[in-house]
């Protein structure tokens, strides 16, 4: 049996999520596009000491997709694929580890979309069972904005770390 099409406001949020993550959009680069073609060694270069590298920004974005999904569904903390929360450290990565991190980001995006697609428009104006002060719709639109915020950071970090030295 086919899944019924999402309600209009839910469809809009799904489109916003995808345009921030990996679909063509007027604003330009998406989160996934910002990391396309990066090697593991490029992903762990820091713009300066004490600053996040691309790999850490990607893990952070994946974590917040997980967090929004968990809050919307009311699930308990503790099931994220990486140990810890919010910020994760990466000073060196193999090509395989970098590929896993990118896969984690994509997987969390897909899982979030699955949950959002199951919502009704009326669900967007309620507080989620997972707590917090934000409404479900605000969480979903907020995580898309979060993707774009970190996309901009990644684009800047890439320019800084690839800049030829004098």
């Amino acid at each position: 049996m086919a899944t019924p099409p999402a309600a209009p406001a839910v469809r809009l949020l799904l489109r916003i999520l995808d345009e921030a993550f990996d679909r063509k959009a007027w604003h330009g680069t998406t989160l996934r596009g910002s990391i396309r073609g990066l090697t593991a060694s490029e992903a762990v270069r820091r713009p300066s000491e004490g600053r996040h590298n691309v790999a850490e920004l990607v893990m952070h974005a994946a974590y917040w997709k997980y967090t929004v999904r968990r809050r919307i569904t009311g699930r308990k903390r503790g099931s994220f694929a990486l140990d810890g929360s919010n910020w994760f450290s990466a000073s060196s990565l193999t090509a395989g580890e970098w590929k896993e991190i990118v896969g984690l980001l994509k997987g969390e995006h897909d899982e979030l979309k699955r949950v959002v697609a199951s919502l009704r428009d009326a669900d967007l104006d309620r507080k989620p069972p997972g707590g917090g002060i934000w409404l479900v719709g605000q969480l979903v639109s907020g995580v898309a904005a979060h993707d774009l915020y970190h996309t901009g950071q990644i684009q800047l970090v890439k320019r800084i770390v690839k800049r030829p030295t004098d």
Side-chain angles (χ1 to χ4, degrees), residues 115-134:
V115 167
V116 172
S118 73
L119 299 172
R120 297 167 298 136
D121 279 356
D123 295 328
L124 303 176
D125 292 323
R126 66 170 171 79
K127 290 203 176 185
I133 62 170
W134 304 107

Side-chain angles (χ1 to χ4, degrees), residues 4 28 51 91 108 139 142:
R51 299 293 180 198
S91 56
E108 288 298 341
L139 290 172

Side-chain angles (χ1 to χ4, degrees), residues 52-113:
H52 293 294
N53 58 36
V54 171
E56 291 167 348
L57 293 167
V58 169
M59 290 184 284
H60 171 77
Y63 176 78
W64 279 98
K65 288 175 180 290
Y66 151 81
T67 298
V68 167
R69 176 173 51 90
R70 182 183 53 74
R71 287 182 182 169
I72 291 171
T73 59
R75 296 216 171 94
K76 294 189 187 296
R77 292 178 147 191
S79 60
F80 189 60
L82 303 173
D83 289 334
S85 63
N86 200 15
W87 289 106
F88 305 87
S89 181
S91 56
S92 67
L93 292 172
T94 66
E97 290 168 331
W98 173 234
K99 187 176 179 179
E100 286 178 17
I101 289 168
V102 173
L104 173 64
L105 177 67
K106 173 72 169 118
E108 288 298 341
H109 180 77
D110 291 344
E111 284 299 307
L112 175 61
K113 278 183 49 184

